[in-house]
Amino acid sequence: MPLSAVFHTDSLQEQVAALGDAFAIAGEFLHCDTINSGHINMTFRATYRKADGTTDRYIFQRVNDAVFQCPRDVMHNVEKVTNHIRWKMLRVLKTPFRQTLNLYAARGGRKYLEIPGSGFWRCYNCIESTHTFDVAEHPRQAYEAARAFGAFQQLLCDMNPEDIHETIPFFHHTRRRFDRLEKAAAKNSHGRLDSCRRELEFILRREHYVDVLLNLQEQGELPVRIVHNDTKINNVMLDRETDKAVCVIDLDTVMPGSILYDFGDMVRTMTSPAAEDEEDLDKTFLRMSMFEAVVRGYLDAVRDFITPQEVSNLAFSGLLITLETGIRFLTDYLEGDVYFKTEKDLHNLHRARTQLKLVESMEEQMPEMEECIRRHVHAASR
C-alpha cells in the first residue's frame, strides 16, 4: 500500500510503522505513543525490537506547514545546525559521546519525507534517560537549561547567519506583533474583544517597550547571530538522575537574530513557579533565585562572545519577550485560536493573562534583576 494511502487509515500504529519503514528503521515495530508537549508539531515516539532482542526508540515528527509555510527551509536549517554541532563536538571540542539531535535519512537520501496530503515528516534519535520540565523546580535545573542554551549559541557562533533561512519572517519583530494585535482587536472577528479589554489595555500602555531592541538592531548595535528562538525550559533534555543538561531540542525556529530574545525567553519560562497557562495569577511571579540561576548558567556559557550592549539589555529582554508572548497569545485568542494548539475554552486568554502578570512582576523587580547581572558580570571579570 502506498504511504499516502496508509495515512488515510484510522490506525495510528499502522501510520507510524509505515513511517519507520520509509526511514529504513531496523528492527520490528512494536508500538508508538504520542508526545503531547509543545504547541506546534505532531510528535510520536516509536519502539523497535532489534535482532538481538534489545529495543531502540525513535522520534517521528510532522512539521506544521500551517505555521512553517516553507517546511523545506525548516529542514535545511535543522540539518545545517545539527551537522555543524556534531562536527564541532567531534573535531573541535572532541566530545563524541555527548548526545545531540541527529536526523535520519529517508529512503532516497533526504532528511525528511514528504507525504502527499499528510505533510513533511522527519525522524530523530530518541534521547534516552532524560526528562523535561515545563516549570523549573530547582535553581540547578534553571542553571543547567540556561547554560545549555548558551552553549548552543556558542557552538553556532562561527556559522554564517546567511546560511540559515528565516522560516518565520519577523518572528521577534515586536512592533509587528503589537500592530497585529491592534488590528485583531479592531476587527474582533470572533466577538471576543469584550472578554479581554483589560489585557489589551495593559499591553497598549506598554507600547514604549516594543521598539527598544528593534532600534538597537537597526542601528547595528546588536550582532546578528544564529539563535534558537524557543528557549523554553522544556526544550532542554536533562539527565533523569543528575538533572545535568544533555541536549537542546526543537530546532524549527532556529534563525538569524539576537541572543537577547533567547535569553529573554529563558527568563520568561524558567523564573516563574506557574505553568504557562496557570489560571490562578497569584501563582505567577518572577523568582529571583531562579533568575540568578539563569544568569549564572547563561553567562558561564557565553562570556567569550557576548558584547557589552547585549549584557546591558539582558534584564530588559526578559520583560520584552514576556510581553511579546502575551501579545501573541492574546492575538491568537482574538483571531480564533489559529496558531497555538488549545486544550480548553479560553486557553489562549489564560496564557496571555499569565504572561502579563509576569511582566508586572518583572517591572517591580527590574532594579534587582539588573543588579544581579552586574554582580555576576563583575565577578566573572575578576
Side-chain angles (χ1 to χ4, degrees):
M1 182 185 297
L3 191 56
S4 57
V6 173
F7 270 75
H8 290 289
T9 70
D10 293 330
S11 171
L12 172 62
Q13 301 295 321
E14 287 182 15
Q15 293 173 10
V16 175
L19 280 173
D21 183 62
F23 281 97
I25 300 301
E28 175 192 359
F29 172 78
L30 297 179
H31 58 83
C32 77
D33 55 283
T34 303
I35 298 176
N36 290 315
S37 61
H39 298 322
I40 305 300
N41 296 317
M42 185 185 302
T43 307
F44 305 102
R45 180 171 48 218
T47 303
Y48 288 78
R49 181 163 50 215
K50 297 186 294 186
D52 62 4
T54 61
T55 58
D56 278 335
R57 299 197 295 177
Y58 301 85
I59 301 297
F60 295 108
Q61 193 170 60
R62 179 179 177 177
V63 180
N64 188 327
D65 51 12
V67 173
F68 301 103
Q69 297 182 8
C70 296
R72 291 183 184 86
D73 288 349
V74 172
M75 294 310 302
H76 165 90
N77 289 356
V78 173
E79 186 172 358
K80 280 273 188 181
V81 165
T82 54
N83 285 346
H84 186 83
I85 289 174
R86 189 163 53 253
W87 170 83
K88 196 87 169 278
M89 288 182 172
L90 290 173
R91 299 296 181 86
V92 180
L93 301 180
K94 302 186 186 303
T95 55
F97 300 111
R98 181 175 171 184
Q99 295 193 61
T100 62
L101 280 182
N102 293 311
L103 286 167
Y104 289 88
R107 297 184 189 276
R110 293 184 305 185
K111 295 295 179 70
Y112 62 88
L113 189 66
E114 185 176 3
I115 304 173
S118 297
F120 279 73
W121 290 84
R122 61 190 169 209
C123 179
Y124 285 121
N125 56 316
C126 182
I127 308 295
E128 301 289 0
S129 302
T130 61
H131 57 177
T132 61
F133 294 89
D134 291 330
V135 175
E137 298 176 354
H138 191 277
R140 69 173 176 272
Q141 295 167 348
Y143 172 89
E144 285 292 325
R147 186 178 62 83
F149 281 122
F152 178 84
Q153 293 175 350
Q154 195 277 333
L155 285 165
L156 299 178
C157 69
D158 58 341
M159 274 189 77
N160 185 352
E162 294 181 1
D163 290 340
I164 298 298
H165 298 302
E166 188 178 27
T167 53
I168 303 179
F170 307 108
F171 184 64
H172 278 308
H173 198 293
T174 319
R175 167 55 62 183
R176 286 175 178 260
R177 299 286 191 185
F178 184 92
D179 291 347
R180 180 169 174 174
L181 173 63
E182 286 193 307
K183 291 176 182 176
K187 189 174 181 181
N188 194 22
S189 59
H190 287 73
R192 294 176 166 181
L193 180 60
D194 284 344
S195 62
C196 63
R197 288 188 182 277
R198 184 173 60 180
E199 290 75 22
L200 179 63
E201 287 300 320
F202 180 97
I203 292 168
L204 295 179
R205 291 195 302 271
R206 286 157 177 80
E207 182 178 4
H208 58 283
Y209 290 146
V210 305
D211 296 314
V212 173
L213 296 188
L214 293 171
N215 289 339
L216 290 173
Q217 289 175 289
E218 187 174 332
Q219 295 159 13
E221 296 188 37
L222 295 179
V224 176
R225 309 184 191 276
I226 297 173
V227 293
H228 187 279
N229 283 311
D230 192 14
T231 52
K232 300 190 296 288
I233 190 169
N234 60 13
N235 280 333
V236 176
M237 309 293 288
L238 302 176
D239 183 273
R240 192 175 295 277
E241 293 186 2
T242 66
D243 273 345
K244 293 286 187 182
V246 175
C247 184
V248 169
I249 61 172
D250 200 355
L251 308 181
D252 290 345
T253 53
V254 169
M255 286 181 282
S258 169
I259 62 172
L260 290 173
Y261 294 117
D262 272 8
F263 182 82
D265 210 23
M266 293 179 225
V267 176
R268 180 183 77 87
T269 62
M270 299 183 200
T271 62
S272 173
E276 195 173 60
D277 57 356
E278 174 60 58
E279 296 182 35
D280 182 355
L281 296 182
D282 289 339
K283 296 180 180 179
T284 299
F285 55 91
L286 180 136
R287 296 171 290 178
M288 279 304 304
S289 62
M290 293 296 187
F291 179 77
E292 184 164 8
V294 170
V295 170
R296 286 193 301 107
Y298 186 67
L299 290 178
D300 280 353
V302 305
R303 63 179 75 259
D304 290 340
F305 68 86
I306 193 169
T307 69
Q309 184 67 275
E310 289 168 326
V311 169
S312 68
N313 283 281
L314 285 173
F316 172 74
S317 72
L319 188 156
L320 179 71
I321 202 66
T322 307
L323 179 66
E324 181 188 289
T325 306
I327 289 172
R328 293 176 63 197
F329 283 140
L330 193 61
T331 301
D332 201 33
Y333 173 71
L334 287 168
E335 292 179 343
D337 306 319
V338 294
Y339 185 90
F340 297 106
K341 289 189 294 187
T342 57
E343 299 171 0
K344 57 186 176 182
D345 290 342
L346 308 181
H347 201 170
N348 277 320
L349 179 57
H350 290 308
R351 288 165 170 159
R353 287 171 175 166
T354 303
Q355 304 312 302
L356 302 184
K357 181 64 183 301
L358 190 54
V359 166
E360 208 168 36
S361 178
M362 290 179 184
E363 288 176 331
E364 294 170 357
Q365 299 184 76
M366 186 56 62
E368 192 175 354
M369 292 165 66
E370 292 176 335
E371 173 56 30
C372 174
I373 291 169
R374 283 193 294 269
R375 185 169 66 251
H376 284 285
V377 169
H378 177 71
S381 64
R382 287 186 297 180

